[in-house]
Amino acid sequence: MGWQEQGWLLCASFLGFVASVQSITRGELFHYGPSVRDQLLEAGNDHTHRVELDKPVLFYDGTFDSIFINTNGFVATAQSTSESTYLGNMPPKFGIIAALLGDLDTSDGVGKVFFRQDSSPDVLTQAAHYINRAFPEDDEVSPTHAVVITWVNVATHGEPQSRGDGIEKKRNTFQLVIASLETASYAILLYPRDGMQFSSTPVQGSNVVMHAGFSKGLVRGFLFSSQGPYYRTTTDDEASVRALTEETNSGLRGIWVYEIGTSPYFTNVAPGEVTDLPTEATPQGPPEDYEEAANARRPVYAEEQQVQYPPYESEGEQIEVHPIQYQPHQPDNPEVLVVDDPDINVDVFSYNLGTCASNRNKCSQFADCRDYSSGYCCNCRPGFYGNGIQCVAEGKPQRMNGKVYGKVYVGNSPSPVEFTSNDLHSYVVVNDGRSYVAISDIPYTLGPSLQPLSALGGVIGWAFALEQPGFKNGFSIIGGEFTRQAEVTFLPGNEKLTIRQEFKGIDEHDHLVVSTTLEGRVPEVPRGSTVQINPYSDIYQYSNNLITSSSTREYVVSSTDGTTDTRTFQWRQTITFQSCQHGESLRDMKPTQMLSVDQVFVLYDANNNLIRFAMSNKIGDINGGQPEDNPCFTGRHGCDTNAICRPGQETQFTCQCAAGFSGDGRTCYDIDECGENPRICGSHAICNNQPGTFRCECEDGYQFGNDGQTCVEANRPVDACEEGTHNCDIPERAQCSYSGGSSYICSCLPGFIGDGRVCQDIDECQPGRCHQDAVCYNTQGSFTCQCRPGYYGDGFYCSQERTKTQCENHRDSLQVPRGPRPPVGQYIPTCDENGAYEPMQCHGSTGHCWCVGRNGQEIPGTRSGPGSRPMCIDNGVVPPPVGPTTRPDVHPLPPGTHLLFAQSGRIEHVTLEGYVMKKSDAKAVLHLPEKVIIGVAYDCVEKMVYWTEITSPSISKASIHGGEPIAVIRSDVDSPEGIAIDHLGRTMFWTDSMKDRIEVASLDGSQRRVIIDSDLVNPRAIITDPPNGNLYWADWNRDAPKIETSYMDGSNRRVLVKDDLGLPNGLTYDSQSSLLCWADAGTHKMECTHPGHGDRRKIMEGLQYPFGITSFGKNIYYTDWRRDAVIAVDRHAGKELDEFQPQKRTKIYGIATAYAQCPSGQNYCAVNNGGCTHLCLATPTGRSCKCPDNAVGVGCVETDSGY
């Protein structure tokens, strides 16, 4: 063995030694943050958020359908008491999982607590790996549900942000994952060394050691309660807290696993059983003369394991490079050994465990799988290149899409420019190495100063660089899944900028996906200045799963006054990735390669807020070598951009179209594989042609089988609430709420108490509920008050003196006691025995009769001639209300779910019993004589009904429990029609068909803002999808009807449906099925679509004149002007189920569902108004903070979509 080979073995052994003694890093936590749709706990100290679980958690011998997440580093099984009762006084009286409990604070905006429920395969597989590793003697488990809670950069409460000595406050980052299956729950706790900076917090003037452990809380006995079992994982010694990062019970340092609950029997919390760590490798000493040479260009791992890079020597000499080189050596028991570094996460040995038979789907469709003794490897087929997991066609141009996040300070500015999901797009012509990058929404305050950072998008140039003979570009070696971190230091000011990019592979559109985060400061480049970057070279050093490079670069700033300034920055980067030791892409990998970049072009487009970079990239020998004249290696060949250049002798070459294209190579055309072979995807599949390839998708109701290719019938999740197979109490006492998959939640209705499966009536007849001279009668879910004999009143007030009613006063005022009879023609009202107006009133002289309401006013359309009698509703058959009503025309709704619908002058309701309309119980909720009510919406939080009316154009609201109508919008509206509520963000949206616009406002009518005011003709129906941040509306413009959507802030507007529409009057969105449905009075059809899929299916046809539409479970309910009715339709069967015609036969307008409980789901605006100063408008990935249109001088701050 030569000395150089020995040196390489030393490097591998040294890395193995380093890896085996290091803890996990923050980068190895379960993924967290906005990118994985985490929710964010309200900032501050001692905040708690209740999470209703999709599947229950088992803790000790209990089963819990909800948990409580707290700022102070713990999760509770019940609402926690004040922190003063448990800080320094453990264990608490409530059940607790203490990840790391202390007096913590996130109010400074740096610390955050993220949480989510997750049933994705990646998370469940990772959780199962940790659990099964910790309990090697037990049967393997496969969790079906997980809750991921991450405390990020949390600080101690009360400590100032800076101590005054320039040292920032200490912060901790740690994570708790509760993974559950039907019979057990496990707690996985992760403590990264680079995330743990303190082990005690101040409590009442003294430092108290933080706690980790589990407590059942108080256990109730027959006579008294006592403290239940308490399992501590730390002691009162701070060393025990610090040991959390250094020790383990799972075999992985810093990761701790506990079985915390089992069913049907439970004994105690069971810790993981693997406390031993992997055996440390022993370094072998090399010859002394190797040491100096081997260290010359190798990254040096300092005491804290930060990668340091020696400076490069001046150009001109041959550079001798001795990189870290992996030598194949398989340990007896394969382990993943990790180099610990806060910025680098590298698997030094990476084995693909398993076989091709069980992992074939992990390979690219353009790769072959091969088994080895230590696992399997994927290798790209001829005509394709990559790492086998990701393969792309040779010669085919590549596209990259992504988002940019972070904060960048410019010059000496104290305020950063924030990136909130800015778009990044890139395009590479692979056969000549040209790459183009554009980033959108860059403000002028930052744009010019980003121009020197052409390498911001340069990584894609390296990934698809033009390859010189014997050398490979980045994608050929590592594929499209890797992490790149770069540090830029600008001289002489030492401003630093960190660039972190997560490359997530090729998506379904054949585009490379990347997420970029920028943090730091850049020197200011004056506005209007241009930046010139001369050609440069970077040397890339390759080891098994780590690539590094560094360089010093110059750029020239040309100001508008003609002066120039040459500046410098230092560039250091690491690229980490996963590889297969037998992979062909690594077999011929050279330890060093040089990326040559020229024709660099940078431009900031201030008019469009875009920054653009363009450059040519070649990968080759670090010492240059003989310049290649063959056009395939210079890029000057003239082949089609979708072609491969094949070099021949000397300067000869040929052009060959890439896979999926046809032609002579100079001109290439896409092959339509779907058209040439319609059955290429098999049965129950849809073929979508794409440039150079095609994509198979299963039809609705089918999914890919285990082979990843055959479409098999999907096991549709069963909605037990809809099917009636749930075990909730009867609908009169309980509500069943579907929560996805096969899960549902049972909850008791108001007036009942219990777990939802068994609900018992609450006896509301407590002392003082009714008047002292009244009797309280308890009823199912409610109560009534009735005055005792000899007393008069409504039960809430009783008196021995009977006060005349409105009817009696009216009657007596027209009669003169002991005087002559009333003159002929005089109408005298008739009152019943209780003094109320008889529902039918008649004129004694003319013989005409008519119906009246409770206030004696004639109901229009009910008057009959002499000799006939109208059918009038008995006003006295109204059930007694739960509480006093402030006005006689507003009647409280009984418990349960209802349909609210509008007729001219009134809003009525009909109760739903399951999905059946209880037509006999239909009653008016609100009388608004002489008003034409169009749209109706319901706020499930405050139990308010909102409506639009066009006689005196306005928007109003009233409580369904009784109360005065309140006008919320009365000005600057001409014809408000559709209205929708975001119950999470506390906003309302409406359409105005005369102003042709869509507006949003707070629920009190303040903070109005127009969000859509173009390309609208007759907007009417509008609907919200609060959890996903989407808005939908219909425009019944007879010339071009359409259904559109946008985010709730009005951005990303697009047309969903425009063909085969007539008069799309009504819209409804069902969050459980994600179906958007509409009723069309022109085509006389009811149809539905999944907005994200583009599918469309007919539910029913033959409708007469539908107007409003709403949905509840499997049913759709719509109003029809011709039938003067509310009609129920079974969405699945596509047939009409029932019809309800109100007593008043007039046109019925809008309709809405009044839910007994708010639908499940959250968005970023649901907590603390999303951190916005004024309007918080949700989007699919976060929220936008917007100012009202009249926000002059009110201190409003706007930010675009993102969080």
Side-chain angles (χ1 to χ4, degrees):
M1 179 184 294
W3 62 268
Q4 192 171 17
E5 291 174 320
Q6 289 179 346
W8 288 342
L9 275 181
L10 169 68
C11 293
S13 299
F14 171 70
L15 282 178
F17 175 79
V18 171
S20 68
V21 297
Q22 298 303 320
S23 305
I24 62 165
T25 65
R26 289 170 54 144
E28 294 168 277
L29 298 176
F30 286 73
H31 293 311
Y32 62 87
S35 63
V36 289
R37 305 296 294 272
D38 269 358
Q39 294 178 249
L40 188 64
L41 186 65
E42 181 183 355
N45 168 250
D46 195 23
H47 283 297
T48 299
H49 181 85
R50 177 173 181 165
V51 177
E52 297 292 344
L53 298 174
D54 297 337
K55 294 186 178 180
V57 163
L58 304 178
F59 188 57
Y60 284 90
D61 55 358
T63 302
F64 298 89
D65 293 321
S66 62
I67 57 175
F68 298 80
I69 298 170
N70 189 278
T71 314
N72 286 337
F74 68 85
V75 170
T77 57
Q79 180 68 50
S80 59
T81 55
S82 170
E83 64 178 17
S84 62
T85 64
Y86 59 82
L87 288 177
N89 188 27
M90 294 291 287
K93 296 180 179 180
F94 50 88
I96 189 173
I97 302 173
L100 195 58
L101 184 148
D103 193 5
L104 305 178
D105 192 6
T106 61
S107 59
D108 58 6
V110 178
K112 291 179 172 61
V113 181
F114 292 104
F115 62 93
R116 73 178 183 279
Q117 300 187 68
D118 201 326
S119 298
S120 64
D122 289 346
V123 167
L124 297 182
T125 300
Q126 188 176 356
H129 169 72
Y130 290 145
I131 296 169
N132 295 325
R133 184 184 178 114
F135 298 97
E137 302 300 322
D138 295 353
D139 293 337
E140 289 198 352
V141 300
S142 298
T144 59
H145 180 259
V147 185
V148 183
I149 309 105
T150 314
W151 289 264
V152 181
N153 293 327
V154 293
T156 58
H157 181 227
E159 182 180 349
Q161 184 160 355
S162 176
R163 305 184 309 183
D165 53 6
I167 301 176
E168 293 296 312
K169 65 165 68 173
K170 294 181 178 181
R171 300 182 182 277
N172 280 353
T173 295
F174 51 93
Q175 190 174 66
L176 165 65
V177 178
I178 306 173
S180 301
L181 52 155
E182 187 173 351
T183 58
S185 289
Y186 296 84
I188 306 170
L189 298 119
L190 300 94
Y191 303 99
R193 170 183 282 184
D194 57 341
M196 301 290 289
Q197 298 180 353
F198 61 90
S199 53
S200 62
T201 59
V203 176
Q204 297 179 351
S206 62
N207 273 357
V208 175
V209 177
M210 303 179 77
H211 282 254
F214 311 91
S215 175
K216 185 177 180 180
L218 288 183
V219 177
R220 297 187 182 277
F222 180 70
L223 296 176
F224 54 87
S225 298
S226 60
Q227 179 62 45
Y230 177 38
Y231 184 101
R232 288 193 65 173
T233 59
T234 60
T235 68
D236 291 329
D237 186 353
E238 289 194 46
S240 69
V241 178
R242 292 192 290 270
L244 293 174
T245 65
E246 305 296 332
E247 299 175 3
T248 183
N249 67 9
S250 70
L252 296 172
R253 195 185 299 274
I255 300 178
W256 302 76
V257 181
Y258 300 87
E259 184 182 63
I260 59 173
T262 55
S263 176
Y265 305 107
F266 179 80
T267 53
N268 202 355
V269 171
E273 301 165 354
V274 184
T275 56
D276 296 330
L277 292 162
T279 304
E280 298 175 357
T282 304
Q284 302 175 15
E288 292 183 6
D289 59 351
Y290 169 72
E291 190 67 29
E292 183 176 352
N295 286 329
R297 291 297 312 140
R298 184 193 313 142
V300 178
Y301 291 82
E303 183 176 355
E304 292 300 321
Q305 300 307 314
Q306 296 283 346
V307 177
Q308 302 175 354
Y309 300 83
Y312 278 104
E313 302 295 332
S314 60
E315 297 181 3
E317 301 179 14
Q318 290 266 328
I319 304 173
E320 184 177 10
V321 181
H322 301 283
I324 301 170
Q325 175 72 22
Y326 169 69
Q327 292 292 315
H329 169 70
Q330 180 175 333
D332 296 333
N333 297 302
E335 301 283 354
V336 176
L337 306 179
V338 180
V339 175
D340 180 57
D341 183 281
D343 302 318
I344 303 176
N345 177 15
V346 184
D347 286 347
V348 177
F349 301 107
S350 179
Y351 293 104
N352 291 343
L353 300 177
T355 63
C356 290
S358 59
N359 292 279
R360 190 175 303 276
N361 291 344
K362 294 184 179 179
C363 296
S364 165
Q365 61 177 321
F366 306 115
D368 295 316
C369 186
R370 185 175 177 184
D371 284 318
Y372 297 89
S373 59
S374 59
Y376 69 95
C377 278
C378 307
N379 298 305
C380 297
R381 297 171 188 155
F384 298 86
Y385 64 101
N387 66 345
I389 302 294
Q390 308 274 333
C391 299
V392 296
E394 292 181 352
K396 181 183 174 184
Q398 297 300 322
R399 290 173 171 82
M400 179 176 76
N401 296 323
K403 298 290 185 179
V404 182
Y405 306 91
K407 298 178 182 179
V408 177
Y409 295 82
V410 178
N412 296 319
S413 172
S415 302
V417 176
E418 293 196 29
F419 289 84
T420 52
S421 194
N422 298 52
D423 288 323
L424 183 152
H425 299 285
S426 181
Y427 178 78
V428 184
V429 182
V430 176
N431 61 20
D432 66 8
R434 287 179 292 129
S435 64
Y436 306 88
V437 179
I439 305 175
S440 64
D441 297 325
I442 306 294
Y444 70 88
T445 54
L446 175 62
S449 302
L450 283 186
Q451 292 180 102
L453 295 175
S454 60
L456 186 62
V459 67
I460 194 167
W462 164 78
F464 297 104
L466 183 62
E467 296 172 338
Q468 300 303 293
F471 294 86
K472 293 183 178 181
N473 60 30
F475 196 92
S476 296
I477 299 172
I478 68 174
E481 296 183 13
F482 57 92
T483 300
R484 178 237 206 170
Q485 180 143 328
E487 183 181 277
V488 188
T489 302
F490 295 89
L491 302 176
N494 283 323
E495 297 93 345
K496 292 184 184 296
L497 179 72
T498 299
I499 304 170
R500 181 177 177 85
Q501 293 181 297
E502 297 280 350
F503 287 80
K504 302 177 182 179
I506 303 292
D507 67 8
E508 66 271 18
H509 304 294
D510 221 20
H511 297 169
L512 187 60
V513 179
V514 63
S515 175
T516 301
T517 303
L518 305 178
E519 297 286 349
R521 187 178 297 273
V522 296
E524 183 176 8
V525 172
R527 189 175 180 184
S529 301
T530 60
V531 171
Q532 177 185 343
I533 301 176
N534 294 324
Y536 62 87
S537 299
D538 272 356
I539 294 179
Y540 283 71
Q541 301 183 73
Y542 297 77
S543 64
N544 186 48
N545 281 3
L546 174 67
I547 301 171
T548 62
S549 74
S550 64
S551 64
T552 299
R553 301 180 189 171
E554 289 186 347
Y555 61 99
V556 179
V557 178
S558 299
S559 303
T560 53
D561 60 4
T563 60
T564 61
D565 181 18
T566 301
R567 303 182 184 181
T568 304
F569 65 78
Q570 293 176 343
W571 175 271
R572 298 173 177 177
Q573 73 171 347
T574 59
I575 297 172
T576 58
F577 60 98
Q578 296 287 323
S579 66
C580 184
Q581 70 180 83
H582 301 287
E584 294 177 359
S585 62
L586 297 178
R587 182 176 303 163
D588 301 321
M589 180 180 71
K590 296 184 181 297
T592 58
Q593 298 188 122
M594 184 164 70
L595 177 71
S596 300
V597 182
D598 58 13
Q599 301 179 47
V600 183
F601 170 79
V602 297
L603 172 69
Y604 173 64
D605 181 353
N607 293 327
N608 295 304
N609 287 350
L610 284 173
I611 190 163
R612 303 178 187 274
F613 304 106
M615 62 205 76
S616 292
N617 310 271
K618 295 183 179 68
I619 195 80
D621 193 342
I622 64 170
N623 293 305
Q626 278 298 111
E628 288 291 340
D629 295 327
N630 192 290
C632 289
F633 302 122
T634 64
R636 300 184 180 93
H637 44 66
C639 298
D640 189 273
T641 55
N642 292 297
I644 309 163
C645 183
R646 301 291 191 192
Q649 296 293 326
E650 297 181 348
T651 59
Q652 299 298 310
F653 68 95
T654 57
C655 299
Q656 175 186 340
C657 291
F661 295 87
S662 63
D664 61 4
R666 297 282 181 176
T667 305
C668 298
Y669 304 95
D670 176 50
I671 298 172
D672 184 356
E673 294 88 351
C674 301
E676 293 186 358
N677 184 3
R679 297 187 178 181
I680 192 170
C681 289
S683 59
H684 303 297
I686 302 169
C687 182
N688 292 324
N689 187 59
Q690 296 178 353
T693 185
F694 65 96
R695 177 176 173 81
C696 297
E697 297 177 355
C698 293
E699 295 175 349
D700 190 27
Y702 290 83
Q703 63 187 18
F704 286 117
N706 293 332
D707 62 359
Q709 299 175 348
T710 307
C711 292
V712 297
E713 190 169 3
N715 294 322
R716 295 179 178 272
V718 177
D719 181 351
C721 298
E722 182 175 319
E723 299 293 331
T725 57
H726 59 81
N727 62 351
C728 301
D729 207 336
I730 61 174
E732 289 77 14
R733 292 196 290 262
Q735 169 82 16
C736 179
S737 302
Y738 180 58
S739 56
S742 299
S743 301
Y744 58 90
I745 298 171
C746 300
S747 53
C748 296
L749 296 177
F752 297 90
I753 190 170
D755 62 359
R757 292 170 174 82
V758 177
C759 298
Q760 296 179 340
D761 175 56
I762 298 174
D763 186 355
E764 292 93 346
C765 288
Q766 305 298 322
R769 178 75 75 173
C770 301
H771 191 270
Q772 61 183 6
D773 294 316
V775 178
C776 180
Y777 295 96
N778 186 58
T779 61
Q780 285 292 302
S782 185
F783 70 99
T784 60
C785 297
Q786 184 176 329
C787 294
R788 300 180 188 277
Y791 290 84
Y792 303 92
D794 60 3
F796 297 97
Y797 177 77
C798 300
S799 172
Q800 289 181 318
E801 295 183 4
R802 186 174 183 277
T803 305
K804 286 186 179 182
T805 65
Q806 180 183 357
C807 179
E808 291 169 335
N809 284 327
H810 185 188
R811 179 193 62 196
D812 295 348
S813 67
L814 298 174
Q815 294 177 327
V816 181
R818 303 183 183 86
R821 296 179 63 82
V824 177
Q826 178 74 53
Y827 157 63
I828 303 296
T830 55
C831 310
D832 64 14
E833 66 275 12
N834 295 317
Y837 284 98
E838 292 278 5
M840 184 179 69
Q841 298 286 325
C842 296
H843 196 290
S845 300
T846 65
H848 289 88
C849 295
W850 59 92
C851 299
V852 298
R854 295 172 64 87
N855 57 3
Q857 292 184 351
E858 180 178 350
I859 298 175
T862 61
R863 184 176 288 262
S864 64
S868 64
R869 294 288 188 270
M871 296 293 293
C872 299
I873 299 175
D874 186 355
N875 297 314
V877 187
V878 178
V882 172
T885 314
T886 57
R887 55 181 289 161
D889 15 306
V890 181
H891 305 304
L893 296 187
T897 297
H898 308 264
L899 298 177
L900 300 171
F901 57 90
Q903 286 183 295
S904 181
R906 62 200 286 156
I907 296 176
E908 295 198 19
H909 84 87
V910 59
T911 303
L912 292 178
E913 191 173 60
Y915 300 108
V916 178
M917 295 184 287
K918 294 183 66 176
K919 292 179 277 190
S920 60
D921 290 348
K923 291 181 177 61
V925 177
L926 189 72
H927 290 283
L928 296 165
E930 301 179 0
K931 304 289 186 183
V932 178
I933 302 171
I934 304 295
V936 180
Y938 179 67
D939 174 24
C940 59
V941 176
E942 296 182 342
K943 311 297 184 186
M944 303 285 285
V945 57
Y946 288 72
W947 66 91
T948 62
E949 63 104 352
I950 57 175
T951 45
S952 52
S954 62
I955 299 174
S956 303
K957 66 180 180 180
S959 170
I960 63 169
H961 293 312
E964 292 284 345
I966 303 169
V968 290
I969 300 290
R970 287 182 290 186
S971 62
D972 198 25
V973 283
D974 290 346
S975 184
E977 296 192 10
I979 183 169
I981 303 295
D982 173 8
H983 67 281
L984 299 175
R986 314 306 296 146
T987 52
M988 61 179 174
F989 299 79
W990 70 91
T991 59
D992 192 317
S993 63
M994 292 186 67
K995 289 186 177 293
D996 296 333
R997 69 191 189 191
I998 298 174
E999 286 190 70
V1000 64
S1002 299
L1003 290 181
D1004 62 0
S1006 64
Q1007 304 188 44
R1008 288 176 61 176
R1009 180 185 178 95
V1010 176
I1011 58 172
I1012 303 289
D1013 61 356
S1014 63
D1015 197 24
L1016 292 175
V1017 178
N1018 296 112
R1020 176 171 288 158
I1022 188 167
I1023 203 77
T1024 59
D1025 174 17
N1028 295 311
N1030 290 317
L1031 192 66
Y1032 304 96
W1033 67 89
D1035 187 332
W1036 58 268
N1037 172 17
R1038 292 182 182 271
D1039 296 327
K1042 60 186 175 180
I1043 297 172
E1044 294 187 274
T1045 183
S1046 74
Y1047 297 162
M1048 283 187 168
D1049 61 0
S1051 65
N1052 197 34
R1053 177 184 179 184
R1054 58 203 185 279
V1055 176
L1056 286 178
V1057 184
K1058 63 178 180 178
D1059 299 324
D1060 301 321
L1061 293 177
L1063 294 173
N1065 277 332
L1067 277 180
T1068 184
Y1069 181 81
D1070 177 50
S1071 59
Q1072 294 182 7
S1073 63
S1074 299
L1075 274 179
L1076 179 73
C1077 301
W1078 64 92
D1080 194 315
T1083 64
H1084 307 290
K1085 295 178 183 177
M1086 180 184 296
E1087 298 182 82
C1088 294
T1089 184
H1090 289 96
H1093 299 171
D1095 57 346
R1096 179 175 176 179
R1097 62 188 181 97
K1098 180 179 67 180
I1099 302 298
M1100 192 175 178
E1101 57 185 350
L1103 281 65
Q1104 294 189 29
Y1105 203 104
F1107 188 86
I1109 183 173
T1110 189
S1111 56
F1112 180 63
K1114 67 183 181 68
N1115 282 4
I1116 294 176
Y1117 305 86
Y1118 73 93
T1119 62
D1120 194 297
W1121 276 10
R1122 295 256 170 84
R1123 298 168 65 174
D1124 295 335
V1126 177
I1127 299 102
V1129 172
D1130 186 317
R1131 171 164 49 85
H1132 300 315
K1135 65 178 182 180
E1136 181 176 320
L1137 299 175
D1138 198 5
E1139 174 190 73
F1140 168 60
Q1141 290 183 324
Q1143 177 75 20
K1144 182 180 180 181
R1145 296 294 300 275
T1146 60
K1147 289 179 179 178
I1148 305 178
Y1149 291 83
I1151 186 170
T1153 304
Y1155 295 96
Q1157 291 186 333
C1158 288
S1160 59
Q1162 288 289 321
N1163 64 31
Y1164 278 103
C1165 295
V1167 179
N1168 195 29
N1169 197 40
C1172 298
T1173 59
H1174 289 71
L1175 284 171
C1176 181
L1177 304 176
T1179 66
T1181 57
R1183 58 86 177 99
S1184 291
C1185 295
K1186 295 297 182 182
C1187 297
D1189 290 334
N1190 59 349
V1192 179
V1194 296
C1196 184
V1197 177
E1198 286 199 351
T1199 60
D1200 290 329
S1201 176
Y1203 201 90

